[in-house]
Amino acid sequence: SADPQALAPRIERLLGDKDVRPALTLAERLVEAEPRNATARALLGRAYLANGRYLSARTAFNDALTLGNRDPRTIVSL
């Protein structure tokens, strides 16, 4: 589904199932569709982290914080 609202739950499910490559692909699509969405940026950070892409994860988490995400999980992940 290309609907941004449908992508977030799918990404969460994939990350929970440790299916990290497709989670990253969908997270990148979500951020592409909603670049100013702080929650999407945090989800992208989690997907990068799960894929071992630590510098990209740091950038995504910093972007999420800049956009207003104050979720403790985002802060701790950073």
Side-chain angles (χ1 to χ4, degrees), residues 23-57:
L24 178 56
T25 299
L26 290 180
E28 288 173 334
R29 283 180 43 201
L30 177 59
V31 168
E32 185 178 307
E34 296 186 356
R36 308 257 338 135
N37 183 323
T39 302
R41 294 283 177 164
L43 200 50
L44 178 61
R46 289 179 48 215
Y48 279 140
L49 196 59
N51 278 277
R53 295 181 55 185
Y54 305 115
L55 294 176
S56 296

